[in-house]
Amino acid sequence: MGDKDGKSSPSKKNKKGKDMDELKKEVPITEHKMSIEECCRKFNTDIVQGLTNAKAAEFLIRDGPNCLTPPPTTPEWIKFCRQLFGGFSILLWTGAILCFLAYAIQAATEDEPAGDNLYLGIVLSVVVVVTGCFSYFQEAKSSKIMESFKNMVPQQALVIREGEKMTINAEEVVAGDLVEVKGGDRIPADLRVVSAHGCKVDNSSLTGESEPQSRSPDCTHDNPLETRNVAFFSTNCVEGTARGIVVCTGDRTVMGRIATLTSGLESGKTPIAKEIEHFIHLITGVAVFLGITFFILAVCLGYTWLEAVIFLIGIIVANVPEGLLATVTVCLTLTAKRMAKKNCLVKNLEAVETLGSTSTICSDKTGTLTQNRMTVAHMWFDNQIHEADTTEDQSGASFDKTSASWAALARVAALCNRAVFKAGQDQLPILKRDTAGDASESALLKCIELSCGSVKQIREKNKKVAEIPFNSTNKYQLSVHETEDPNDNRYLLVMKGAPERILDRCTTIIIQGKEQPMDEEMKESFQNAYMELGGLGERVLGFCHLLMPEDQYPKGFAFDCDDVNFTTESLCFVGLMSMIDPPRAAVPDAVGKCRSAGIKVIMVTGDHPITAKAIAKGVGIISEGNETVEDIASRLNIPVSQVNPRDAKACVIHGTDLKELSQDQMDDILRNHTEIVFARTSPQQKLIIVEGCQRLGAIVAVTGDGVNDSPALKKADIGVAMGISGSDVSKQAADMILLDDNFASIVTGVEEGRLIFDNLKKSIAYTLTSNIPEITPFLLFIIVNIPLPLGTITILCIDLGTDMVPAISLAYEAAESDIMKRQPRNPTRDKLVNERLISIAYGQIGMIQALGGFFSYFVILAENGFLPSILVGIRLNWDDRACNDLEDSYGQQWTYEQRKIVEFTCHTAFFVSIVVVQWADVIVCKTRRNSVFQQGMKNKILIFGLFEETALAAFLSYTPGMDVALRMFPLKPSWWFCAVPYSVLIFVYDEIRKLLIRRNPGGKWLSLSLCITFRPESCHEICICNFTHKSLIDTKTRKLSNASLFSSPTLSSYRLGGKGDILLSDGYRLYSYPYIFHLFLPPFIPSLARHVFRCPTP
Amino acid sequence: LSLPLSVSLALSVSLSAVADPSAEDGKKEKKEVDPFVYDYHSLRICGLVFGVVLFALGILLILSKSSYFSRKCRCSSNQEKKPKAPGDEEATAETLIVSKAKEPEPEPEPEAKAEN
């Protein structure tokens, strides 16, 4: 990290950059290494009395209040201006200014300047302002929802000052204060713990550890984040009490530093903004090229300089697609709305598309991929590992509950457990109920409640007589109960704790409900089970019990828990239970879909590597069959150093190792491993990982919920925060919020993003096409001196009127191919608007459209007596007000007014012709590769658009008064049909073009859309194959991996809870993590049947 | 369900059929009188009627949620969309083969249900 900072800081110039680098470094707290006395001395405080009030007041003034500086908010008017002058608007503003300039020139030189340029300038400005307001209000709406997330409740803190306990506002806490926290409190500042009683804190939002961490006064680690004697600002105390000296307050706390780092980061432009910029460059290039060419031509043809300049400006402005800004905004808004309906709230309109371009997702584990609650995952009894149902909705399979051993285990787990459900939640499902007590005890409580009924009743039947709570020296918890049977006067001793400690105290073991002596074989199988469960990243607890002999412990025996007067040896081992924070149900499916969409999913977590790896395997981030370097080493029994790192597709990297990596090594890892897990990462490291991915050209999405994720969320191209469990800081930093915390919504986001990108392409192609029939009349007017075929007003009617609805309707177009089966777009190669699109729109379709327009123009003039031959060069006389006897081809004389009516009728006809050819264009633009006959006409909005467009054209032409208002005249019915052949021509031409594209694969389109085909021999093979995510690799090479070789009977028995090893051809065990099956097979298989096989649903 | 749509379609067809010939007729009649005078009044009315009908049709189309179109869309998004995927030609060929070897295939489904 050091060299990273060293390299980046010189480029950043000022002090701010330096501060940021400073913040990126690790936490500077050192107090945890000091003794309590040193600590007191440092802060001028007393370990008993606390600070004096005077000192506290002094410190408060010196350090400021203990709260986070809110991130600098941009004033509303700046936000508004950003909408007004950002991106696409610039193009329109330039156009407007040029228009005004042209009008000014005309006004200065001519007596009666034509108002066209003035009107055009005004209309352009109005369009920009209206669209700007529209998108401003759109974003204001989502920021309002953001406001509602803010937690306004002021925090209280219990401090000791001058020896008195007092409750003050958490903001008034100062460094050196002696603070007391108890279970349920939020920690008011960074504390150096001086005394603690069973205190546990939940650091998950800071470090990503799901399990509560115990706190004690001793320094256990050099790293302040790891040591036990520091409690952090805004984390929660789960249970117990603790007293500590405040070492940092406000922005200087660990949380504060992260928040400051986050608000100091600047996120780059969104991909769509870059695309629009590229588009503007292209359009400007075309406009300037055309403008200059015709400027030179005009000068050569003998126009004056000023006239030529006005032409130049006119041509440049005519190239500006007036309606496109509104179209793009509306399309993005529609998608944002659609996503909001699916619980994705997008804060910034442009971020709508970003997920679609995403090529890497860095996901936090705790709370994002997992449920952030400990759950019993496995049990070991009867010398067998059983798995519990860990799904949120209890849809997974269950295990055999008939064994007497299970009854014994459940009884021990229920009795030797201090967790209780909080009152008044009887109607809630068990898993949703709140509990009071330790996380793992709560997990046990819920597990027993689910499988054996009311724990309360069990406890009532077995009255507790004595109890020794858990402590870290004993590593066990013990209680003595009366038995259920009133005639049985024996006492029941139950104990749980660290498995090895429990085993040491046991001489017998229960198998199938019968006590058997604990032999070596049993011990070994215990060890195996313990190792296996531990290897899954699960926290394992051992359970044992003893029915105390009545002769030694008669009824009424006084159990003394402080000075233990009863046996705690030679007990009977009952079983093991292991707990984990299980993955959310929808995650594996979502990860699989991301994979098949070509998106790399990286896990970046603060949690321990073993847990991280287990979850990564569980959700498919490390797919089955892929091994890490360590796995290969242990399989081949060789040292890690001998393994070629290139053999391992997966890798798990520890935060401490990450610190020592150079930038090149980092790039190397990110480039060469497809499946990466970063464990024990600090928030700063998360940021560095995101930067690393971006350096390699990836568009990075980060998902997370904790404060520790927020710098990465901000830095990412798109940060996705969790709406329910997410912290405020993370929501502030994110661009998108999943309101239902469902990771699977990301898949929706990707899908919608890709769809809108494709559809925007179509919209733009459609809108740009009509630019050609709009410019060419003006060009011919200049070059060959014909009466103007199409006026400014009619151009605006097309761009802002008839073209709008069809262009927007293309946003509703369904995807042409399965967009989730192709690779993410390459931001350097796949542009929103490329030269190809421009050449099709301008050069091919646009030209045919212009021909259609001119055809109807010449038809009308000819019907009125002006044959095309006479038109060339007629302009000067035609536009001469004084000339009232202009003769047509038949010798009729035309006054100026009469001529103008014919001219405006021509404008109207040209306009209607463009509408007619745009019918074909919108149908043609619907698809980019498929034929319309393949795609169908299912887009209702598009059909609506066709109707409305035509109706609008009819209204504009026929409404009385239009001749005065917009100078548009009624058309004879036959004139409507002039352009129809050209419309047909466009359709046929483009269908042939697409046919050729389809016939000659190898174009960009084909390489983009991966052909996913499977061998059809057996569905099962493929289910598993895909399920393990190997399918991606396999389908590309079209080979099924060895994963396909196990047979379905084994699989089904396994899934139903039976015990059978699934063996692969080369002898590996496929699943050492069996619960994974339960988690995501059910949702996966139906989707497979749809996605891959396309077989008829049964 | 598709009744309103078909009715409106029929209506529009008949209307436009009425609209156009009437314009033509008017034109012919006037032509005999004076080829340089054109009945712009009835043209305007016909054009406006045409516009209103189209507009109404469009609105009807949008509002007809339970119509033929949207139902087709909904089905298609679930089932028909997939066969449209790239590699379609190969896929259809495969489905044929798969359906032959169909016996083992329904198995995963019931299992999944059993677990649910």
mmCIF file of all heavy atoms in Angstrom, chain A residues 632-644:
data_model
loop_
_atom_site.group_PDB
_atom_site.id
_atom_site.type_symbol
_atom_site.label_atom_id
_atom_site.label_comp_id
_atom_site.label_asym_id
_atom_site.label_seq_id
_atom_site.Cartn_x
_atom_site.Cartn_y
_atom_site.Cartn_z
ATOM 1 N N ILE A 632 -4.450 -27.019 -3.713
ATOM 2 C CA ILE A 632 -3.634 -27.874 -4.572
ATOM 3 C C ILE A 632 -2.486 -28.457 -3.763
ATOM 4 O O ILE A 632 -2.197 -29.658 -3.834
ATOM 5 C CB ILE A 632 -3.085 -27.068 -5.774
ATOM 6 C CG1 ILE A 632 -4.249 -26.598 -6.642
ATOM 7 C CG2 ILE A 632 -2.112 -27.912 -6.587
ATOM 8 C CD1 ILE A 632 -3.823 -25.768 -7.823
ATOM 9 N N ALA A 633 -1.884 -27.580 -2.951
ATOM 10 C CA ALA A 633 -0.748 -28.027 -2.163
ATOM 11 C C ALA A 633 -1.159 -29.157 -1.225
ATOM 12 O O ALA A 633 -0.474 -30.181 -1.115
ATOM 13 C CB ALA A 633 -0.176 -26.863 -1.376
ATOM 14 N N SER A 634 -2.301 -29.001 -0.580
ATOM 15 C CA SER A 634 -2.681 -30.032 0.384
ATOM 16 C C SER A 634 -3.127 -31.301 -0.335
ATOM 17 O O SER A 634 -2.962 -32.398 0.178
ATOM 18 C CB SER A 634 -3.777 -29.515 1.313
ATOM 19 O OG SER A 634 -4.945 -29.297 0.576
ATOM 20 N N ARG A 635 -3.680 -31.131 -1.520
ATOM 21 C CA ARG A 635 -4.109 -32.331 -2.251
ATOM 22 C C ARG A 635 -2.902 -33.135 -2.709
ATOM 23 O O ARG A 635 -2.866 -34.358 -2.605
ATOM 24 C CB ARG A 635 -4.958 -31.924 -3.460
ATOM 25 C CG ARG A 635 -5.304 -33.076 -4.386
ATOM 26 C CD ARG A 635 -6.423 -32.694 -5.322
ATOM 27 N NE ARG A 635 -6.120 -31.516 -6.130
ATOM 28 C CZ ARG A 635 -5.483 -31.558 -7.297
ATOM 29 N NH1 ARG A 635 -5.078 -32.715 -7.781
ATOM 30 N NH2 ARG A 635 -5.264 -30.467 -7.978
ATOM 31 N N LEU A 636 -1.919 -32.408 -3.236
ATOM 32 C CA LEU A 636 -0.755 -33.119 -3.765
ATOM 33 C C LEU A 636 0.300 -33.383 -2.697
ATOM 34 O O LEU A 636 1.328 -33.985 -2.976
ATOM 35 C CB LEU A 636 -0.124 -32.304 -4.899
ATOM 36 C CG LEU A 636 -1.061 -31.997 -6.074
ATOM 37 C CD1 LEU A 636 -0.374 -31.081 -7.059
ATOM 38 C CD2 LEU A 636 -1.484 -33.289 -6.751
ATOM 39 N N ASN A 637 0.006 -32.857 -1.487
ATOM 40 C CA ASN A 637 0.952 -33.032 -0.397
ATOM 41 C C ASN A 637 2.321 -32.422 -0.703
ATOM 42 O O ASN A 637 3.352 -33.023 -0.471
ATOM 43 C CB ASN A 637 1.126 -34.528 -0.094
ATOM 44 C CG ASN A 637 0.589 -34.817 1.284
ATOM 45 O OD1 ASN A 637 0.551 -33.911 2.137
ATOM 46 N ND2 ASN A 637 0.164 -36.044 1.510
ATOM 47 N N ILE A 638 2.312 -31.257 -1.246
ATOM 48 C CA ILE A 638 3.578 -30.562 -1.505
ATOM 49 C C ILE A 638 3.496 -29.181 -0.861
ATOM 50 O O ILE A 638 2.398 -28.694 -0.588
ATOM 51 C CB ILE A 638 3.855 -30.416 -3.023
ATOM 52 C CG1 ILE A 638 2.639 -29.794 -3.724
ATOM 53 C CG2 ILE A 638 4.240 -31.737 -3.647
ATOM 54 C CD1 ILE A 638 2.895 -29.415 -5.157
ATOM 55 N N PRO A 639 4.620 -28.561 -0.581
ATOM 56 C CA PRO A 639 4.565 -27.228 0.002
ATOM 57 C C PRO A 639 3.935 -26.222 -0.956
ATOM 58 O O PRO A 639 4.010 -26.386 -2.185
ATOM 59 C CB PRO A 639 6.030 -26.874 0.263
ATOM 60 C CG PRO A 639 6.845 -28.015 -0.175
ATOM 61 C CD PRO A 639 5.982 -29.076 -0.711
ATOM 62 N N VAL A 640 3.335 -25.211 -0.369
ATOM 63 C CA VAL A 640 2.613 -24.203 -1.147
ATOM 64 C C VAL A 640 3.529 -23.557 -2.190
ATOM 65 O O VAL A 640 3.118 -23.253 -3.303
ATOM 66 C CB VAL A 640 2.047 -23.129 -0.193
ATOM 67 C CG1 VAL A 640 1.447 -21.969 -0.969
ATOM 68 C CG2 VAL A 640 0.999 -23.741 0.708
ATOM 69 N N SER A 641 4.804 -23.408 -1.800
ATOM 70 C CA SER A 641 5.717 -22.696 -2.692
ATOM 71 C C SER A 641 5.963 -23.442 -3.998
ATOM 72 O O SER A 641 6.356 -22.850 -4.997
ATOM 73 C CB SER A 641 7.045 -22.462 -1.974
ATOM 74 O OG SER A 641 7.510 -23.700 -1.482
ATOM 75 N N GLN A 642 5.705 -24.764 -3.988
ATOM 76 C CA GLN A 642 5.989 -25.534 -5.199
ATOM 77 C C GLN A 642 4.844 -25.516 -6.212
ATOM 78 O O GLN A 642 4.988 -25.997 -7.321
ATOM 79 C CB GLN A 642 6.293 -26.990 -4.826
ATOM 80 C CG GLN A 642 7.690 -27.151 -4.262
ATOM 81 C CD GLN A 642 7.968 -28.597 -3.931
ATOM 82 O OE1 GLN A 642 7.318 -29.494 -4.456
ATOM 83 N NE2 GLN A 642 8.934 -28.805 -3.060
ATOM 84 N N VAL A 643 3.715 -24.986 -5.756
ATOM 85 C CA VAL A 643 2.568 -25.000 -6.662
ATOM 86 C C VAL A 643 2.690 -23.827 -7.626
ATOM 87 O O VAL A 643 3.027 -22.712 -7.218
ATOM 88 C CB VAL A 643 1.259 -24.879 -5.857
ATOM 89 C CG1 VAL A 643 0.063 -24.895 -6.789
ATOM 90 C CG2 VAL A 643 1.157 -25.996 -4.848
ATOM 91 N N ASN A 644 2.424 -24.096 -8.861
ATOM 92 C CA ASN A 644 2.407 -23.016 -9.839
ATOM 93 C C ASN A 644 1.131 -22.203 -9.641
ATOM 94 O O ASN A 644 0.029 -22.733 -9.780
ATOM 95 C CB ASN A 644 2.435 -23.622 -11.249
ATOM 96 C CG ASN A 644 2.373 -22.544 -12.305
ATOM 97 O OD1 ASN A 644 2.417 -21.356 -11.991
ATOM 98 N ND2 ASN A 644 2.269 -22.966 -13.546
#
